[in-house]
Amino acid sequence: MTSLATVPDGTRARAQITQKAPGVVFGLDVAELVFRRCDPDVRLARTGPEAQWRERGPVLEIEGDARALLTAERTALNFLGHLSGVATLTAACVREVDGTGAKILDTRKTTPGLRLLEKAAVVAGGGHNHRIGLFDEILIKENHIAMAGGVTAAIGAARERFPDLPLEIECETAEQVREALAAGATRLLLDNMDPPTLRAIAEEVAGRAQLEASGGMSRETLRAYAETGIDWISIGALTHSAPTLDLSLLLEPLR
């Protein structure tokens, strides 16, 4: 209503999206799609890198119908700012563990409807995707173990039913780790363990299974966890708590 009231019909304009804070821009494809939905004849030109860390600068130039650009502005920036925020937080976490051998993973704690976009943003930031859904990997957690009757029973049942799917099992104690290894598990999820406990388990496992740690860590403590000898660190906050990257769009009329 505001654009219809204040912008004369047929007015054309040029806009520029600018990155105003350090980080990784990601999501230009979906932002451009928003502008095209509002103005099929819009002209778009990328003016900055995507999926690369940089300090600030121009990102995208847009030329088209002024009302259409104003209509698309907030939706495009919402997508671009959120996905860039996910990529930026991921890149920051990847930097924290650099040189340790540990890799950063996402989780299924994603925004409904945006999972594939958010997981693509994690990859743009240098992270790795865990499961896309409940269909592509067996992940046996504490509730599954309780319902199945124990670690060994849960692994056996999963292997029998879905022998071709990758399998990972959550272990809460060193005893469960030993039981899982004896049952043939090759990837273990170690949840809410402190670095000394993780280090002791990594030394005991000695490469017989891949180890993933999750829970109870922050940017400040991430490296201490990564230096314990684990292979993966999964962080739900990459997708559910990433701050939006600061971006702006300024519009000028074309004479």
Side-chain angles (χ1 to χ4, degrees), residues 34-205:
V34 172
F35 286 110
R36 288 194 181 99
R37 286 290 296 272
C38 293
D39 180 0
D41 298 320
V42 70
R43 297 178 183 177
L44 300 158
R46 298 187 183 189
T47 53
E50 190 173 40
Q52 295 179 25
W53 188 283
R54 69 169 187 168
E55 294 304 304
R56 292 170 177 80
V59 173
L60 184 67
E61 287 187 353
I62 313 110
E63 183 179 320
D65 180 82
R67 286 180 178 175
L69 299 191
L70 289 166
T71 300
E73 173 186 1
R74 178 42 49 196
T75 301
L77 287 179
N78 283 348
F79 275 118
L80 190 59
H82 173 59
L83 295 174
S84 297
V86 171
T88 297
L89 179 57
T90 302
C93 291
V94 169
R95 287 183 173 188
E96 293 293 337
V97 304
D98 183 48
T100 66
K103 297 180 176 64
I104 300 297
L105 280 176
D106 58 20
T107 71
R108 290 191 303 115
K109 296 176 181 177
T110 53
T111 307
L114 299 184
R115 175 170 294 171
L116 294 182
L117 288 173
E118 290 175 343
K119 283 183 170 283
V122 167
V123 173
H128 299 262
N129 293 154
H130 206 313
R131 300 182 296 167
I132 297 299
L134 296 175
F135 57 89
D136 53 359
E137 180 179 325
I138 300 293
L139 179 52
I140 303 170
K141 304 195 77 174
E142 69 273 21
N143 288 329
H144 303 109
I145 293 170
M147 295 299 100
V151 169
T152 302
I155 293 173
R159 286 291 190 215
E160 181 178 356
R161 182 70 183 273
F162 299 108
D164 297 326
L165 285 180
L167 184 147
E168 181 175 10
I169 185 165
E170 181 178 2
C171 298
E172 298 179 314
T173 65
E175 289 74 20
Q176 284 190 332
V177 168
R178 297 183 190 108
E179 185 179 355
L181 289 173
T186 58
R187 183 158 171 167
L188 310 179
L189 172 61
L190 308 174
D191 197 21
N192 290 308
M193 294 184 180
D194 59 26
T197 303
L198 289 172
R199 187 181 302 276
I201 289 175
E203 291 174 354
E204 182 175 348
V205 171

